[in-house]
Amino acid sequence: MPPDRHTEIFETQWPRLLRLGYRMLGSRHDAEDVVQEAYLRWHHSDQGAVLEPAAWLTRVVSRLCLDQMKSARARREAYPGTWLPEPLIEPEEDAMRPDNLTLTLMMALERLSPLERAAFLLHDVFGQPLEEIATTIGRSPAATRQLASRARAHVKLDRPRQEIPRERRDSLARAFFDACLSGDAERLGAMLASDVSVQSDGGGKIRAFDIIRGSDRVRRLFQGITRKFGPIELLRMVSIDGLPGYLTRVGGILQTTALEFDGERIANIYITRNPDKLDGIALH
């Protein structure tokens, strides 16, 4: 196979492989490393013997991710404070978005075993046949079907209970930011579900807080956020892995805030402040 054709095939598959790596690992940085390793293996392989390059590359990336996931789980158990997936800020046409997975579902995937996660993503999200997935993960088709089924049941429990149009969610996200900025207790309280929770990831490097639950506690947190953390500077309203939110500097610290809605009320708030997870984000 001519070298230019060899590169062309990989570049065609690159967006899908990066998306798979990110969904498997929860980190764009790690996904990029995995895809780069897959490229090296593709470059040194006998391409003439590869009948289906897309399937071959998917298998390589999946296996590399499975190897990483074993050590990643141990790292996350030792992670200081709350761990959140690396925030993916994207325009609607971004190559990472065709699967429509949200940050909420990424959190649900974290509770699956590596094999369950692989089986679910490859089958339900990336549309691979069970027989191919079985070969990739080294299990029988029947066992692979059971892995995907168990994963599907877990993930289904975490799907939003009541969807509202995207435009309405975006409008509510801006209204929530404005209420935080003004410290309007009544407006904040009206926007929060009674069982709302806040999770904050500082990675042990930036001040964060333990999980906070309940509308009264969350309202008090955001009502006094300027007093606690310093002035808020809105950089832009964004979509964070399918959820509405915003990119800000709070007390001079860059952070993302993603909002999950249940109907018109906010059910979960995800705040990422760990600088290692934000260093690739465009500020404007």
Side-chain angles (χ1 to χ4, degrees):
M1 183 181 298
D4 56 337
R5 176 60 178 156
H6 162 265
T7 302
E8 180 184 335
I9 287 174
F10 187 86
E11 288 179 347
T12 300
Q13 296 297 318
W14 179 86
R16 185 179 59 82
L17 297 174
L18 183 61
R19 187 160 49 96
L20 173 60
Y22 172 74
R23 296 308 182 193
M24 292 274 277
L25 300 172
S27 164
R28 182 159 187 154
H29 288 73
D30 290 345
E32 288 171 346
D33 289 344
V34 161
V35 173
Q36 179 61 28
E37 175 62 25
Y39 172 75
L40 294 176
R41 296 191 182 194
W42 170 246
H43 181 72
H44 294 293
S45 68
D46 179 6
Q47 290 91 33
V50 178
L51 300 179
E52 297 183 28
W56 189 94
L57 288 166
T58 297
R59 188 174 302 121
V60 170
V61 168
S62 299
R63 287 174 175 171
L64 288 170
C65 287
L66 282 169
D67 289 342
Q68 279 215 19
M69 287 164 73
K70 295 169 186 173
S71 59
R73 176 158 292 194
R75 291 197 306 272
R76 286 170 195 171
E77 287 174 356
Y79 194 81
T82 299
W83 181 93
L84 294 175
E86 187 176 317
L88 186 64
I89 294 180
E90 79 290 337
E92 284 303 294
E93 68 274 13
D94 192 285
M96 299 284 277
R97 289 303 308 150
D99 53 53
N100 291 319
L101 287 186
T102 65
L103 179 61
T104 307
L105 292 180
M106 288 287 288
M107 295 293 291
L109 293 178
E110 285 298 309
R111 296 195 288 275
L112 304 179
S113 72
L115 288 178
E116 286 173 339
R117 184 166 180 155
F120 172 78
L121 287 171
L122 290 171
H123 184 263
D124 287 42
V125 178
F126 290 85
Q128 276 205 306
L130 282 169
E131 291 73 14
E132 287 185 20
I133 302 169
T135 300
T136 297
I137 67 175
R139 296 292 187 274
S140 69
T144 302
R145 184 178 294 104
Q146 292 226 339
L147 286 167
S149 178
R150 283 202 304 269
R152 197 175 300 119
H154 285 297
V155 169
K156 185 177 180 180
L157 295 175
D158 288 89
R159 291 191 182 278
R161 289 164 286 183
Q162 183 182 353
E163 282 282 11
I164 57 175
R166 183 185 178 91
E167 296 76 12
R168 179 59 179 159
R169 289 187 301 151
D170 291 345
S171 173
L172 288 169
R174 181 59 197 239
F176 180 73
F177 174 80
D178 290 342
C180 292
L181 200 61
S182 66
D184 188 325
E186 185 176 349
R187 287 176 65 196
L188 285 169
M191 296 188 71
L192 300 171
S194 61
D195 58 349
V196 62
S197 71
V198 181
Q199 300 183 56
S200 173
D201 180 346
K205 299 182 178 184
I206 298 295
R207 182 184 176 192
F209 38 81
D210 294 331
I211 297 175
I212 298 174
R213 293 186 173 88
S215 57
D216 286 343
R217 294 185 66 201
V218 172
R219 175 186 54 76
R220 288 196 298 271
L221 169 70
F222 284 98
Q223 185 182 5
I225 200 164
T226 300
R227 184 178 68 254
K228 293 183 179 75
F229 292 95
I232 305 173
E233 175 192 2
L234 176 65
L235 300 176
R236 58 192 172 107
M237 303 300 294
V238 292
S239 175
I240 303 171
D241 228 334
L243 298 183
Y246 40 86
L247 178 66
T248 54
R249 289 191 190 277
V250 180
I253 302 298
L254 185 68
Q255 70 177 46
T256 60
T257 302
L259 308 174
E260 179 197 0
F261 285 87
D262 179 17
E264 297 264 322
R265 292 179 182 267
I266 298 169
N268 291 291
I269 302 172
Y270 304 101
I271 300 174
T272 300
R273 311 190 84 211
N274 183 346
D276 293 342
K277 297 184 177 183
L278 304 173
D279 61 5
I281 292 178
L283 301 185
H284 302 287

